[in-house]
Amino acid sequence: MWLSVISVPAGGYLADRFKRPFVLAIVASLVVAGLLAWLTRSDAVITILVLIGLIGGHPAGPIMSLTARVLVRETRAIGMGVFYTLFYAAMMLGPAVAGRLAKSAGTAAVALDLGALTVLACPPLMWLFERIVSVRHRRARS
């Protein structure tokens, strides 16, 4: 987690520099999902955790900018409130669900695999978001 102090701003910088924030977010999400899945199947635990810390924060900026891209000024405050309420509810429920699964399975590997699947869900959800936004923009121009 301490390495995210480096990876979150680095991800924002790279997203701005290369003008491809969603490509960065998708690639970083895929890499982190792979690392999470590999974590319980490898002896290189420290190396994998360091890599997760250095890469895992890259998608934060592009993902957090999604709501601001679709909300007009008049609805932005309430929209951000709803977004962050759902975000923090998921951050609270995710570990509880993962812990219950790990307890049922008798191994923490299940919790990490659930984390990998959750991160793996980000790219298709971002793609869906982009499709919705592009349809809205096309309709607004018509």
Side-chain angles (χ1 to χ4, degrees), residues 29-109:
S29 294
L30 294 174
V31 170
V32 169
L35 289 168
L36 281 169
W38 187 32
L39 184 60
T40 60
R41 294 160 180 86
S42 172
D43 292 331
V45 173
I46 300 297
T47 303
I48 295 169
L49 288 173
V50 167
L51 288 171
I52 289 171
L54 290 173
I55 299 166
H58 287 9
I63 289 173
M64 292 302 167
S65 72
L66 295 176
T67 52
R69 289 184 50 222
V70 296
L71 297 172
V72 294
R73 186 180 317 259
E74 297 79 25
T75 61
R76 193 166 293 150
I78 189 72
M80 295 299 281
V82 169
F83 172 79
Y84 278 108
T85 299
L86 294 173
F87 174 78
Y88 285 113
M91 291 296 107
M92 178 186 68
L93 293 174
V97 169
R100 186 156 307 237
L101 286 173
K103 186 176 181 182
S104 295
T107 176

